[in-house]
Amino acid sequence: MVTAVKITLPKLTPSTKPFANAVKIVLAAHVAGAKLNQTAGDSVELVLADKSLTDANLAVKIILDLVSFDASNTSLLQSAALEQEEAVITPLIFKKKTTEALQIAEQAVVKYSKVFSKDGKLGIVDVIYYGALYDVLQANAEKEKYSALTAWFERVSKAEAVEKAIEVVKGQISNKAAKK
Amino acid sequence: GAVTIAKYFAAKNQPELLGSSKTEQVEVEEWLSWVIALKALEKKQVVATLKKLDAHLSTRTFVALNRLTIADLLIFANVHKFSKEIKVTTMPNVLRWFDLIQNVAVKNNNIKDFDLIEINLKDVPEPVF
């Protein structure tokens, strides 16, 4: 894992893709135990030596040193779960098809249970799903319908890395959005 | 998903298709995210996105690195059904790349799942280096 993470963050509005991306990247930095070097910018970016990345999932992979795919069972399950989030769940959330997104996320937590946290220790799948679903699950009133997902979310929310990351991201919420 | 399955086969048989170093793997992964996003688009959006790919390919032979990667194969597989939209007048570089990949990956391996598209490369410019 990297020891220092340099990112740019703009002012953020909840329930937007930049907000979800910021949760993912900042949480990854805290899970890695890396020093977070944060500056103001126009978009959520991971700043590398030779370029900046706006792809949050790839940024998380870099921060957690999990870019390589080794065809192991864990690598395969992680990749399948992450592809499900990127290809299906997040697009549904931003099309406001929240119920469908939560149903598929519930199925993913069950199907790929081996790569979701059971003890509060977070991995790459937890980081990316938490960022993608944070806003939706915070507001979700039908917790019993998504029991596995809710149990996972409540467990992960108690992690110190999550508390610190959410504090950082909430600090970026624009005053205009906060007044809503 | 299809990208994970393709990565699995590549890792088992030709891991260099995924990139040999971390820097290379990051570049290939950027394009795999691009493929996942492309799959969610409607036809009109795909055409607009392919025009951006055309600009990228104006200085490159392959989409990532300087050789064939899984990114070329997956993009090819996903744009094959839109091949009629790839015209020499609007997307000459995509057309040149498309012909290269269909020869290297499909024709040379005698793969029957993709119809070979007849392409006249006479008017297609060489990549600029």
Side-chain angles (χ1 to χ4, degrees):
Chain A
M1 292 189 200
V2 297
T3 53
V5 172
K6 190 175 178 186
I7 61 169
T8 63
L9 286 180
K11 285 291 176 192
L12 297 166
T13 304
S15 304
T16 61
K17 198 157 190 181
F19 187 89
N21 286 346
V23 174
K24 289 177 181 179
I25 294 175
V26 174
L27 179 54
H30 281 92
V31 168
K35 188 185 174 200
L36 188 65
N37 183 353
Q38 171 193 337
T39 54
D42 295 331
S43 57
V44 180
E45 291 180 14
L46 174 67
V47 182
L48 302 173
D50 55 343
K51 62 179 171 183
S52 291
L53 283 179
T54 54
D55 180 339
N57 287 12
L58 181 53
V60 172
K61 287 179 188 175
I62 291 170
I63 293 166
L64 299 180
D65 197 14
L66 287 169
V67 176
S68 300
F69 180 88
D70 61 11
S72 65
N73 197 36
T74 301
S75 192
L76 197 57
L77 287 174
Q78 284 173 340
S79 181
L82 298 184
E83 189 175 345
Q84 183 89 313
E85 180 274 332
E86 194 172 356
V88 184
I89 296 170
T90 286
L92 283 172
I93 290 171
F94 292 109
K95 284 178 189 166
K96 306 286 181 202
K97 294 182 177 174
T98 309
T99 303
E100 280 179 72
L102 288 173
Q103 283 168 352
I104 292 167
E106 169 77 9
Q107 289 164 10
V109 172
V110 174
K111 187 176 178 184
Y112 305 117
S113 64
K114 283 185 180 172
V115 290
F116 282 90
S117 174
K118 287 169 198 64
D119 57 5
K121 190 181 172 195
L122 308 193
I124 186 166
V125 175
D126 300 300
V127 169
I128 288 176
Y129 270 70
Y130 198 87
L133 293 162
Y134 173 73
D135 271 326
V136 175
L137 286 172
Q138 281 282 97
N140 177 35
E142 298 179 297
K143 292 184 177 180
E144 69 286 351
K145 268 175 81 175
Y146 314 105
S147 57
L149 183 63
T150 302
W152 164 81
F153 183 72
E154 289 178 352
R155 192 161 54 241
V156 171
S157 294
K158 290 175 189 158
E160 192 182 351
V162 170
E163 289 173 4
K164 286 180 179 173
I166 295 299
E167 193 182 322
V168 170
V169 175
K170 282 189 170 171
Q172 287 299 119
I173 294 177
S174 67
N175 292 334
K176 198 177 165 187
K179 283 175 191 169
K180 281 183 182 175
Chain B
V3 171
T4 297
I5 293 167
K7 282 170 74 173
Y8 179 77
F9 285 134
K12 285 284 185 190
N13 300 297
Q14 274 184 268
E16 65 274 16
L17 286 172
L18 299 168
S20 300
S21 65
K22 279 188 184 172
T23 309
E24 286 192 359
Q25 287 162 359
V26 167
E27 190 175 335
V28 172
E29 280 284 329
E30 279 188 275
W31 284 98
L32 296 186
S33 295
W34 192 89
V35 172
I36 291 172
L38 183 82
K39 285 168 75 174
L41 300 179
E42 290 169 13
K43 188 177 170 183
K44 271 187 181 175
Q45 295 169 305
V46 170
V47 173
T49 304
L50 288 179
K51 285 183 180 168
K52 290 180 188 168
L53 178 64
D54 193 74
H56 174 77
L57 287 170
S58 68
T59 57
R60 291 167 181 85
T61 304
F62 299 97
V63 294
L65 314 183
N66 204 14
R67 58 182 164 81
L68 184 75
T69 67
I70 194 171
D72 293 292
L73 301 177
L74 286 171
I75 294 172
F76 175 83
N78 281 286
V79 304
H80 186 271
K81 63 184 172 189
F82 301 107
S83 58
K84 282 184 182 169
E85 309 299 323
I86 306 170
K87 298 184 171 71
V88 69
T89 47
T90 53
M91 291 183 237
N93 301 300
V94 173
L95 195 65
R96 170 182 45 74
W97 164 85
F98 188 95
D99 192 55
L100 172 67
I101 305 305
Q102 80 167 354
N103 275 288
V104 170
V106 180
K107 200 174 174 186
N108 289 358
N109 292 293
N110 200 23
I111 296 170
K112 303 292 183 195
D113 301 279
F114 294 94
D115 292 336
L116 288 171
I117 309 298
E118 201 172 314
I119 295 171
N120 180 4
L121 289 177
K122 202 176 122 192
D123 301 321
V124 176
E126 291 289 323
V128 180
F129 290 106

